[in-house]
Amino acid sequence: MLKAGKKRLAELFPATSAVVNSDDFKGSLRSTMVLYTGAKGASKIIVAGLGKKETCTIETLRRAASAASKRAASYGVQNIALEGVAAHGISAEDGCLAILEGAMLSNYKFDKYITAAKNKKKISSITLFSDSKQLVNAGKSVLNMARSIYDGVTLARNLAQAPNNEIYPETLAKSAIAAAKGTGVKVTILDKKKIQSLKMGGLLAVNQGSVRPPVFIVMEYKGGKANDKPFVFVGKGITFDTGGISIKPAAGMSDMKGDMHGAATVIGGIIAIAKAKLPVNVVALVPSTENMPSGSALVPGDIVTFMNGKTAEIDNTDAEGRLILADALTYASKFKPKAVIDFATLTGACVVALGTITSGLMGTNSHLLEQIKKAASRTNEYVCELPLHEEYEDLIKSDFADVKNSGGRWAGAITAGLFLKHFIGDYPWAHMDIAGTGMSSSERDYWPKGGTGIGVRMLVDLVNHYKA
Ligand code: BES
Ligand code: MN
Ligand code: ZN
């Protein structure tokens, strides 16, 4: 611990001086030490390590704040106060926001179905304090942003983690309406009839084996000027993916309740942006259905005609996400987008390539991809670009239709991206494969086990910093 810090603590809280001066606490990142002060109002102080000065970034602040608030939560504490930090080239605003994000996002648990959890005490208030006027002002200026991000990420996590008997297409639509209340976001739900009249053949094909009808959710936020072109976010909304007739093995299939994480991301994203009142126009589009096997289900060999008139031969009914996204990417043109970004738990191949830490990024417009990479690095929601070289197209050539919906095992994330590329309109486009990053099998820093809420923070940062 820094000498100055020790001195200050020992002066303010004499009872802590022995432990503070013991050198037992080394200050490595994620480590915490609890001090019993004997003082009223602040009976416990948690000191959180930031590691070495040279390696300290805003992500370090998020992780340290997360470690501190988890330690506090372990004592059943309901009110915590964190000290604002600005140091090591991090601005006061960025520092305050990072600390709030780390503390707020880390105590999330999807425990609403655990009856015993009802009475468990949880952290319900977080205060940020400082004796520096500059930091206090910085804290105030990012407060609404922090709350908005928290609400958006939590919404996305809740939606992604909810089981299929809670969140299926119609309840996903209801959740979008409920979340938009009071935010200024307009929500329109296209029902099966409307979807049929729009000839969204991909969405209808995936839905035809299911008892539950599909929906197409349209959310619009107008925070910018009336004639500003909107960002359009598209999210894969498969509320459960059995694989259909090309059915998946039983082991691990329950994870496929999270096959609508793309939808969760764009719904959480637009809500966060609206709550933060960012001066931009945004549209979120969610094609949603289950992917079920049944007597009426799509089968391999079928040929599907999409909204834009193109056709695809079904090679594997488990490659369903791209079929519903195809129609949504066509529909997106209607809004004359500034840029279209889709989020989808699209391929197991992406998980093989990048694991659960990094999302696959693909696209056609280098300016947009650069902006996404910057936003991803600021928010620590890692992305890695995969190439859409036209040579890969051979893998999805069909003898009987314009394209085939599966290219087999090799370069599976890329052939999925190339399939989508067939359906984009005249707009800059990027595709995020979040199959690995959407569902986490273990808790880590401010990331929970289960639905992670990936992409929400990145989207907020992207539209907030976007340079045309
Ligand atoms: N939803 C899955 C992809 C997925 C896998 C998401 C693991 C999250 C974790 C997608 O619909 C799928 O089944 N993709 C197939 C495509 C293949 C048949 C071309 C896959 O990746 O195996
Ligand atoms: Mn599938
Ligand atoms: Zn799927």
Side-chain angles (χ1 to χ4, degrees), residues 236-238 241 256 258-263 320-321 325 343-348 431-439 454:
K236 170 177 170 181
I238 296 290
D241 182 13
M256 288 302 125
D259 209 19
M260 32 58 73
H261 201 311
E320 84 297 338
L325 291 169
F343 285 80
T345 47
L346 205 58
T347 67
H431 159 57
M432 291 269 290
D433 194 330
I434 56 168
T437 50
M439 280 284 180
I454 187 78

Side-chain angles (χ1 to χ4, degrees), residues 81-93:
L82 292 107
E83 183 163 22
V85 180
H88 321 300
I90 300 166
S91 76
E93 284 77 14

Side-chain angles (χ1 to χ4, degrees), residues 169 192 195 200-214 236-245 259 287-294 296-299 302 304-306 314 316-327 405 419:
K192 186 171 175 181
I195 292 165
M200 291 184 164
L203 179 54
L204 290 165
V206 178
N207 179 254
Q208 76 190 42
S210 179
V211 173
R212 292 179 174 133
K236 170 177 170 181
I238 296 290
T239 57
F240 197 84
D241 182 13
T242 66
I245 294 297
D259 209 19
S288 179
T289 172
E290 306 167 325
N291 184 23
M292 293 292 187
S294 81
S296 61
L298 189 68
V299 299
D302 279 357
V304 173
T305 304
F306 296 87
I314 303 306
N316 189 319
T317 65
D318 198 9
E320 84 297 338
R322 63 200 76 184
L323 303 178
I324 69 169
L325 291 169
D327 288 327
N405 84 325
F419 181 95

Side-chain angles (χ1 to χ4, degrees), residues 148 150-159 167 170-187 189 217 219-221 263-276 284:
S148 308
Y150 173 78
D151 287 349
V153 173
T154 303
L155 172 64
R157 288 173 176 178
N158 284 340
L159 289 173
I167 292 291
E170 285 174 317
T171 52
L172 183 63
K174 282 196 180 128
S175 305
I177 294 169
K181 227 176 164 189
T183 65
V185 173
K186 180 179 143 203
V187 187
I189 308 299
I217 304 168
M219 300 174 81
E220 293 167 87
Y221 165 66
T265 298
V266 304
I267 295 171
I270 194 170
I271 293 297
I273 290 164
K275 287 193 170 176

Side-chain angles (χ1 to χ4, degrees), residues 121-168:
K121 281 185 185 156
K122 286 187 181 166
I123 292 177
S124 58
S125 94
I126 297 180
T127 306
L128 199 62
F129 71 94
S130 173
D131 50 19
S132 138
K133 213 171 168 188
Q134 189 210 2
L135 273 165
V136 169
N137 288 336
K140 282 184 183 157
S141 76
V142 298
L143 208 56
N144 186 46
M145 177 58 99
R147 273 204 200 101
S148 308
I149 288 173
Y150 173 78
D151 287 349
V153 173
T154 303
L155 172 64
R157 288 173 176 178
N158 284 340
L159 289 173
Q161 184 58 26
N164 189 50
N165 60 352
E166 177 189 333
I167 292 291
Y168 45 90

